[in-house]
Amino acid sequence: MAILTPALPIIVALDYANATDALATARALRGSGCAVKVGKELFTAEGPSILAALRELELPVFLDLKFHDIPNTVAGACRAAAGLGAWMINVHASGGRDMLSAARDAIGGDRHGPLLIAVTVLTSLDRPRLAEVGLDVEPAAQVERLARLTRDCGLDGVVCSPQELAVVKALGHDFLAVTPGVRPPGSAQDDQQRIATPAAAVSAGADYLVIGRPITRAPVPAEAVAAIAASLPGIRRQD
Ligand code: C5P
């Protein structure tokens, strides 16, 4: 199945509980040049049919299921996700070297499979919470360690906050940084704590911006995408 790719470095988070709501927003984004993100809630509720419906709207999909299991199981899950035509998929870097390599091998090392991205440290985990699960390290140090491992295993990049962009991009210009926590100037902060504007995040090295509510709750979502795109200093594409 050919992979659709976005024209813009903008991934709109479809954080909905059902296909009806998700597809209403997706239809409003058709032709805007963005990709969309399908997470655990929507995928668990609707299954693979949601990807087929988004494909009909010609929207590339980041399937954000954050696989984390033994290497053989994650390899199979990545193969299945690739078979659904996702443009980008992800795993947890803390699954370790063998799991990351198995994921990479499962979808091929060439440029025909989906982009394979790793989550480093969940932003919900601060230093005390990391210590509680046996990791007595600064979160930033753990992010760097896992990002390096991810790159060494041949994955395409990591998910990181705007604050971690410098550390991640120091590992290589072509190592992708996918960044949530982005808010256009003047929009509601919602429950995001450490935010950056789209322009600041791209200037700091973000390759793709994950943005939800500022776009999905806009009166005309495609116009919100266009306004954010127009604010960006220079657009890097994945061709
Ligand atoms: O609506 P909002 O722009 O805050 O949505 C951001 C999206 O990025 C959500 O789907 C959220 O789960 C995701 N995300 C995040 N922070 C992270 C990782 C993912 O906001 N550290």
Side-chain angles (χ1 to χ4, degrees), residues 117-178:
I117 302 294
V119 175
T120 54
V121 180
L122 294 171
T123 46
S124 49
L125 295 174
D126 56 11
R127 175 146 199 166
R129 287 176 176 84
L130 278 181
E132 211 167 32
V133 295
L135 292 172
D136 195 11
V137 289
E138 281 298 332
Q142 185 68 0
V143 168
E144 184 169 6
R145 173 189 289 264
L146 291 175
R148 206 174 282 279
L149 178 65
T150 299
R151 185 204 56 186
D152 291 351
C153 292
L155 275 69
D156 297 298
V158 291
V159 180
C160 70
S161 76
Q163 283 69 28
E164 293 150 3
L165 280 165
V167 167
V168 168
K169 294 311 285 188
L171 298 177
H173 187 66
D174 292 336
F175 189 60
L176 300 176
V178 179

Side-chain angles (χ1 to χ4, degrees), residues 13 15 37 123 159 180-183 190-192 210-214:
D15 290 324
K37 180 169 86 72
T123 46
V159 180
V182 177
R183 286 290 178 271
D190 302 307
D191 50 1
Q192 295 284 4
V210 177
I211 308 175
R213 290 159 289 182

Side-chain angles (χ1 to χ4, degrees), residues 11-237:
I11 304 170
V12 180
L14 295 179
D15 290 324
Y16 297 104
N18 60 68
T20 305
D21 293 344
L23 292 177
T25 295
R27 273 189 284 276
L29 291 169
R30 190 175 192 179
S32 68
C34 70
V36 293
K37 180 169 86 72
V38 172
K40 286 191 173 90
E41 182 184 17
L42 183 58
F43 190 79
T44 302
E46 299 291 350
S49 65
I50 189 70
L51 273 88
L54 292 167
R55 190 175 185 84
E56 274 181 31
L57 297 173
E58 291 167 38
L59 289 165
V61 174
F62 171 19
L63 187 56
D64 179 21
L65 299 181
K66 300 185 181 71
F67 297 131
H68 189 180
D69 211 310
I70 59 171
N72 186 56
T73 300
V74 167
C78 287
R79 213 174 291 118
L84 298 178
W87 155 70
M88 177 184 283
I89 65 175
N90 62 357
V91 297
H92 268 285
S94 51
R97 177 179 297 279
D98 293 346
M99 192 209 80
L100 293 170
S101 299
R104 173 77 283 170
D105 292 348
I107 61 169
D110 54 28
R111 298 198 61 78
H112 299 300
L115 293 170
L116 181 58
I117 302 294
V119 175
T120 54
V121 180
L122 294 171
T123 46
S124 49
L125 295 174
D126 56 11
R127 175 146 199 166
R129 287 176 176 84
L130 278 181
E132 211 167 32
V133 295
L135 292 172
D136 195 11
V137 289
E138 281 298 332
Q142 185 68 0
V143 168
E144 184 169 6
R145 173 189 289 264
L146 291 175
R148 206 174 282 279
L149 178 65
T150 299
R151 185 204 56 186
D152 291 351
C153 292
L155 275 69
D156 297 298
V158 291
V159 180
C160 70
S161 76
Q163 283 69 28
E164 293 150 3
L165 280 165
V167 167
V168 168
K169 294 311 285 188
L171 298 177
H173 187 66
D174 292 336
F175 189 60
L176 300 176
V178 179
T179 306
V182 177
R183 286 290 178 271
S187 71
Q189 189 170 337
D190 302 307
D191 50 1
Q192 295 284 4
Q193 299 304 327
R194 297 183 307 251
I195 55 173
T197 65
V202 168
S203 297
D207 296 283
Y208 292 101
L209 308 173
V210 177
I211 308 175
R213 290 159 289 182
I215 294 172
T216 59
R217 294 188 182 173
V220 184
E223 281 178 12
V225 170
I228 291 169
S231 77
L232 300 179
I235 291 174
R236 284 191 64 206
R237 293 186 194 209

